[in-house]
Amino acid sequence: MSFWICATCGVEHATRPPVCAICSDERQWVPAEGQHWTTLAELQAAGHRAELTALEPDLVGIHCSPAVGIGQHAKLVSTPAGSVLWDPVGFVDDDIAGRVQDHGPVRAIVASHPHMFGVQVEWSRALGGVPVLVAAMDRTWVARPDPVIRFWSGEEQLLPGVTITQVGGHFPGSAVLHWAAGANGRGVLLSGDTVFANPDRTSVSFMRSYPNRLPLSGAVVERIARSLERFEFDRLYGNFDNVIPTDARAVVRRSADRHWGWVRGDFDALT
Ligand SMILES: [Zn+2]
Ligand SMILES: [Zn+2]
């Protein structure tokens, strides 16, 4: 079955609408030269490849080179009960699918939010029909419906020690993945850009739109931070190669307090 990929966000579409709904939303952008669609075959012919990078024991990053769409780095969490593919990239071929399966059978494919859907249904096909979980609240953003998609709400334990939970904010169904065994048992959070790991590696940001610099309210940020307090995690990986290497739980708390302070007007921008 043929399908189309939006060249700007890398999300698969069953048909080609005049413009990608994800990109024309206020959280994304359509290029000045207009909407452009591509295909897997075209990307392959142009030399795009997916690469694996070991991040820590039982966690690898997957990114495309050259980048496809937003250019996210997917994450593959491996456990004795199988793996979870998080934030799938907008490209897949037999080579990368085989190397992913070398890390054990993939039990679920989940994107943190619609910007990270990538070619999730195609990944499922390449991995033998793995379920694709989509937040029910974000179901209208699915542009390539398929029976492998299962809608979920709230929180789910995908595998022992691997839990996904919807904290909202960036999208109504924006989710994070908690991996209890990560960081040598201190816990890891895969945050997509629900919680964005900043380049200083000691703070995070919470935004409705990252490319268009649209902040979330202090109340929403506080709700996100509170909902993460019941998880133990020392390290936080964002949806690129951005990471908070240690003390991430406290970093989220401090960053939420800082966000509140700025949007409430506690600080003087002249200092
Ligand atoms: Zn798009
Ligand atoms: Zn996003």
Side-chain angles (χ1 to χ4, degrees):
M1 176 185 160
S2 67
F3 65 97
W4 301 92
I5 300 168
C6 171
T8 309
C9 68
V11 171
E12 62 189 352
H13 284 63
T15 59
R16 279 186 301 178
V19 69
C20 167
I22 287 175
C23 286
S24 54
D25 173 65
E26 69 175 3
R27 284 163 282 206
Q28 248 284 111
W29 51 280
V30 177
E33 59 273 21
Q35 177 70 40
H36 179 64
W37 299 100
T38 187
T39 64
L40 267 189
E42 195 174 83
L43 291 170
Q44 254 167 338
H48 292 269
R49 294 288 176 269
E51 296 175 3
L52 290 184
T53 310
L55 299 173
E56 62 173 86
D58 298 324
L59 182 70
V60 296
I62 305 169
H63 73 282
C64 295
S65 180
V68 172
I70 292 172
Q72 72 253 39
H73 292 208
K75 306 289 187 294
L76 181 72
V77 183
S78 300
T79 79
S83 304
V84 175
L85 177 62
W86 175 253
D87 284 346
V89 296
F91 177 86
V92 62
D93 60 12
D94 291 342
D95 172 56
I96 191 66
R99 283 190 286 147
V100 161
Q101 283 169 317
D102 287 344
H103 292 263
V106 179
R107 303 296 186 200
I109 298 169
V110 197
S112 55
H113 67 290
H115 292 151
M116 299 289 115
F117 282 168
V119 293
Q120 57 187 6
V121 169
E122 199 61 22
W123 269 101
S124 169
R125 299 245 195 292
L127 297 171
V130 175
V132 174
L133 276 71
V134 170
M137 277 193 286
D138 296 335
R139 66 191 305 154
T140 56
W141 299 102
V142 174
R144 188 185 180 194
D146 192 275
V148 296
I149 294 177
R150 176 165 73 75
F151 295 103
W152 69 288
S153 299
E155 189 164 300
E156 281 202 22
Q157 182 173 284
L158 299 178
L159 297 169
V162 178
T163 303
I164 50 174
T165 187
Q166 288 169 14
V167 299
H170 183 48
F171 273 78
S174 273
V176 299
L177 181 151
H178 180 252
W179 174 36
N184 292 315
R186 296 188 304 277
V188 155
L189 203 69
L190 304 184
S191 64
D193 58 18
T194 302
V195 179
F196 189 90
N198 287 332
D200 63 11
R201 299 175 305 285
T202 56
S203 72
V204 296
S205 289
F206 314 83
M207 302 283 277
R208 173 166 169 80
S209 171
Y210 292 90
N212 299 325
R213 277 74 170 174
L214 249 178
L216 290 168
S217 75
V220 169
V221 169
E222 179 59 23
R223 194 169 69 217
I224 294 169
R226 284 217 182 138
S227 67
L228 293 175
E229 279 171 1
R230 63 207 164 78
F231 293 104
E232 290 296 334
F233 57 97
D234 188 51
R235 191 169 296 152
L236 180 151
Y237 292 93
N239 52 346
F240 297 94
D241 57 358
N242 48 337
V243 60
I244 306 298
T246 190
D247 203 26
R249 190 169 176 272
V251 164
V252 169
R253 180 71 265 164
R254 274 201 307 275
S255 302
D257 291 344
R258 181 175 72 169
H259 184 109
W260 241 135
W262 277 105
V263 298
R264 193 166 48 204
D266 288 357
F267 307 128
D268 185 338
L270 297 176
T271 61

